[in-house]
Amino acid sequence: QDAISDFGTSLGVRMDAKDMLVDMFMSPWFSGESISGYTFDSAHFESKFGSEQLLTPEQLAKKTRAITGVGWRTNLRPSGKVYSDYEELSILLGGIDSEVVTTRAIELTSTMTAILMTHATETACVAVARQFAYPIAERSLFTFVEESTQPQITATAELELPSKEENDWQTVSYTADLNIGNREISFSILNPECDWDGTRCVEQRILFISSVSVISPSGEKEKYSGDDPRLYSSNGGGCYAQSDGSSRCFNGQIGFDFRVLEKGKHRIEAVMASRLMPSKPDLLKLRLSVKTDADIFAASTTNTQLIKQQISHLFQKLHGTPREIDSEEVQTVFEIYATALVSKQASAGSDWEFENCSTWRDGYFYEDLLTPEQLAAVRFPDPIYNDSYDYDWDALNPIIREIVGDPLHTKYAWTAVMMYMLSHYDYLHE
């Protein structure tokens, strides 16, 4: 402000804009971003203070919608009007009303902090669900990782089981390049479904496992029968040994521990069958994963590098600040991701969807993610309340559950990362 006053004085005395511009360009405020060892050091340091302002509710709304796609606490009306809670937050978020409050707040109050944390919390999971609903090439934020990208996973594949009935045994296989060490090999159902009538599953997809074998590079074969006690069910259970020597899985994951003694390509073969749903005869889809027993915080897998690249990309997209993947900032956020992932995997919470992820708080969620045909089938003008929508929740909920499904808990972990990113000073100030 002192410098601007001086520029104004110079212009008033000389009445020459060219001279004033020369003074401006020669001042500390117009020299390079990074300087070393000259008289403008202190001026550059001071210029960083107070140069950024807290976003107004309108700016925060536009920024969040533009970057994440989320219209937080926003409602679309049949008339085309848009109502948003942002419109009610002006004074609460430091705004003015030009009557009682005439100066913007420059320090966060406890109320402002609570609102901004609520905004970050409710936006984060919806933003993550939105991103993973699209193919990776069509995403704006999560362009380096898939839902299956986990730090300790060294190999993974999605397989389709070409079996159509319970005794139609088929062999599915995958070849993984493994190093010597302990591994967990597991299969999980990607499209579990139950037609629940309130008491039981009228129809349900079921996986049957007769045996699983691992063949080493030298040809050594280790075989596990479906009811082998070394096979265990995790991620919510759902797999049970049968009297005929097989296992039956409704959901969850079935796996076993394996010691790799030879470095090289190992062939994993599983003899399986399935019972399909007559009303939805889609084939069973499986994910095969090979997981190292290395500590998640110290794992040096390809997936770890991809996750850190993704975090670096989020810093650039959300904060406008480039961070190298080996930087302290990226490592800190990676630890947030890993802690959330381990915590969720160890909990007894819901395995197949976010907990408390309110997609309905995003006024554009259904508009953006449902096809026009789906939207027309589940949404209609409310006959009682003027200019509002009602929904056929029985038809809508199965669609939403598919979008927010989180069997591997990676969406939960990325939600923790997004909460950090969206509540950060660099996101809330510009």
Side-chain angles (χ1 to χ4, degrees):
Q1 293 299 318
D2 288 341
I4 290 172
S5 178
D6 288 343
F7 299 148
T9 300
S10 172
L11 180 62
V13 172
R14 300 179 192 176
M15 298 301 290
D16 191 326
K18 290 183 180 179
D19 286 348
M20 184 195 68
L21 290 172
V22 170
D23 290 341
M24 292 175 67
F25 294 145
M26 293 300 292
S27 73
W29 319 109
F30 286 84
S31 52
E33 265 191 30
S34 61
I35 44 86
S36 176
Y38 73 107
T39 56
F40 292 158
D41 259 348
S42 60
H44 267 271
F45 182 75
E46 291 167 4
S47 74
K48 299 300 180 185
F49 290 95
S51 61
E52 295 174 336
Q53 292 187 351
L54 178 68
L55 296 175
T56 66
E58 183 182 12
Q59 290 170 330
L60 182 61
K62 288 182 177 179
K63 182 175 184 176
T64 299
R65 172 63 174 160
I67 296 177
T68 70
V70 178
W72 177 68
R73 295 200 181 185
T74 296
N75 291 314
L76 305 184
R77 305 292 175 87
S79 65
K81 294 181 179 179
V82 178
Y83 169 79
S84 174
D85 271 14
Y86 288 109
E87 299 169 4
E88 308 296 326
L89 296 177
S90 178
I91 304 301
L92 292 175
L93 276 183
I96 64 175
D97 60 8
S98 300
E99 295 178 1
V100 178
V101 182
T102 58
T103 304
R104 277 188 57 82
I106 59 174
E107 293 182 0
L108 292 177
T109 65
S110 57
T111 299
M112 293 163 69
T113 300
I115 292 171
L116 293 172
M117 285 303 299
T118 300
H119 174 268
T121 302
E122 294 181 352
T123 299
C125 65
V126 184
V128 171
R130 276 176 161 273
Q131 288 289 304
F132 286 105
Y134 293 104
I136 193 167
E138 297 178 19
R139 299 178 201 157
S140 58
L141 295 177
F142 290 92
T143 55
F144 289 89
V145 296
E146 292 287 6
E147 184 182 345
S148 59
T149 307
Q150 302 175 72
Q152 295 164 298
I153 298 296
T154 58
T156 185
E158 293 188 6
L159 309 169
E160 189 172 70
L161 180 61
S163 172
K164 297 184 178 180
E165 55 188 41
E166 189 168 333
N167 294 315
D168 180 18
W169 297 103
Q170 301 286 338
T171 300
V172 294
S173 62
Y174 176 71
T175 300
D177 200 352
L178 305 179
N179 292 322
I180 294 173
N182 296 323
R183 299 289 184 276
E184 178 192 70
I185 299 174
S186 62
F187 291 88
S188 54
I189 303 174
L190 290 177
N191 59 340
E193 189 163 348
C194 160
D195 181 10
W196 184 255
D197 67 357
T199 305
R200 64 186 181 89
C201 292
V202 178
E203 296 179 356
Q204 186 173 20
R205 295 194 184 102
I206 303 175
L207 171 68
F208 300 92
I209 303 171
S210 175
S211 65
V212 181
S213 304
V214 182
I215 305 166
S216 68
S218 64
E220 290 289 327
K221 182 176 184 178
E222 186 161 355
K223 185 174 181 179
Y224 304 78
S225 63
D227 63 348
D228 192 309
R230 292 175 294 177
L231 268 63
Y232 52 82
S233 183
S234 57
N235 275 11
C239 293
Y240 307 92
Q242 304 297 299
S243 59
D244 63 358
S246 67
S247 274
R248 172 184 296 208
C249 296
F250 303 98
N251 54 42
Q253 177 176 290
I254 189 166
F256 57 94
D257 295 323
F258 181 77
R259 175 70 180 173
V260 180
L261 301 175
E262 298 179 53
K263 184 180 185 300
K265 296 186 182 298
H266 289 66
R267 188 167 183 80
I268 303 166
E269 294 182 347
V271 179
M272 299 174 166
S274 64
R275 180 188 299 170
L276 303 181
M277 298 175 66
S279 62
K280 300 178 182 178
D282 301 356
L283 294 176
L284 260 174
K285 295 180 181 179
L286 308 170
R287 177 179 286 116
L288 185 155
S289 298
V290 181
K291 182 179 180 181
T292 178
D293 66 347
D295 181 77
I296 191 171
F297 298 99
S300 57
T301 63
T302 299
N303 280 356
T304 299
Q305 292 301 106
L306 287 172
I307 292 167
K308 289 185 176 181
Q309 279 184 295
Q310 182 60 74
I311 292 169
S312 174
H313 179 70
L314 290 176
F315 269 112
Q316 180 65 60
K317 293 286 287 186
L318 294 169
H319 295 175
T321 53
R323 297 282 187 259
E324 298 297 326
I325 64 171
D326 58 353
S327 67
E328 183 179 346
E329 294 89 348
V330 168
Q331 180 61 31
T332 297
V333 177
F334 175 77
E335 290 173 6
I336 292 173
Y337 169 91
T339 301
L341 182 61
V342 170
S343 172
K344 182 60 176 173
Q345 288 174 337
S347 75
S350 170
D351 288 297
W352 292 102
E353 58 184 287
F354 286 120
E355 295 176 19
N356 303 319
C357 188
S358 303
T359 57
W360 54 269
R361 291 195 184 278
D362 174 8
Y364 298 97
F365 193 85
Y366 308 134
E367 286 270 343
D368 292 345
L369 296 180
L370 273 59
T371 66
E373 293 76 18
Q374 287 176 320
L375 194 60
V378 301
R379 188 181 73 175
F380 48 88
D382 193 299
I384 299 175
Y385 299 100
N386 285 333
D387 203 19
S388 63
Y389 283 115
D390 199 358
Y391 293 87
D392 180 351
W393 293 105
D394 289 337
L396 180 60
N397 283 333
I399 301 173
I400 301 306
R401 278 199 298 270
E402 186 174 342
I403 296 173
V404 302
D406 189 28
L408 300 176
H409 311 306
T410 50
K411 292 179 184 176
Y412 180 88
W414 283 117
T415 295
V417 171
M418 287 295 289
M419 286 173 63
Y420 170 86
M421 291 287 181
L422 296 176
S423 61
H424 196 281
Y425 176 93
D426 286 346
Y427 183 80
L428 300 173
H429 295 76
E430 287 188 5

